[in-house]
Amino acid sequence: MVLFAVTAIEKMKTLPPAVWLKIGIAIAALVIAVFVLRKILRMNKVIAGVIVFVVCTVVFFSWVYNRNEPKFLTPLINRIAPFFPSAGSYNAKQQTPAKP
């Protein structure tokens, strides 16, 4: 077991600083998310529900517009995306000449 621990520590030492920065940001984001969630749970449930609904709606429309959704949601977004505007369709319309 000591051999496995030594090799794991050696592998961790070879990681570039950018990886440690990303790990630190992820841990900080998790701590902040837990803190915010606890504050929301102390609020009035209607206000908390509205806040959660607005945040989820903004994230959903961002995914549909930019098409940067998680891979497991791609089949669902593929069916919904034609009903909403997307960044690709906006850029295509901007490159066509204007009608007089």
Side-chain angles (χ1 to χ4, degrees):
M1 290 304 255
V2 176
L3 179 65
F4 294 132
V6 171
T7 58
I9 291 172
E10 288 174 1
K11 287 181 182 178
M12 287 175 28
K13 288 180 182 177
T14 61
L15 291 175
V19 172
W20 291 110
L21 179 66
K22 289 178 184 177
I23 291 171
I25 290 172
I27 291 171
L30 180 67
V31 169
I32 291 171
V34 168
F35 179 74
V36 169
L37 184 62
R38 286 186 178 183
K39 290 290 184 185
I40 288 174
L41 291 176
R42 291 183 188 162
M43 287 182 179
N44 184 349
K45 298 303 179 196
V46 173
I47 295 172
V50 169
I51 290 171
V52 168
F53 175 75
V54 169
V55 168
C56 290
T57 303
V58 168
V59 169
F60 171 76
F61 281 113
S62 173
W63 285 347
V64 170
Y65 186 77
N66 296 315
R67 293 309 309 257
N68 58 353
E69 71 275 357
K71 290 187 187 245
F72 70 92
L73 287 177
T74 300
L76 175 68
I77 301 297
N78 282 341
R79 293 183 183 186
I80 296 172
F83 299 105
F84 297 105
S86 67
S89 66
Y90 178 76
N91 290 334
K93 287 181 182 177
Q94 292 300 318
Q95 292 181 1
T96 59
K99 296 179 182 177

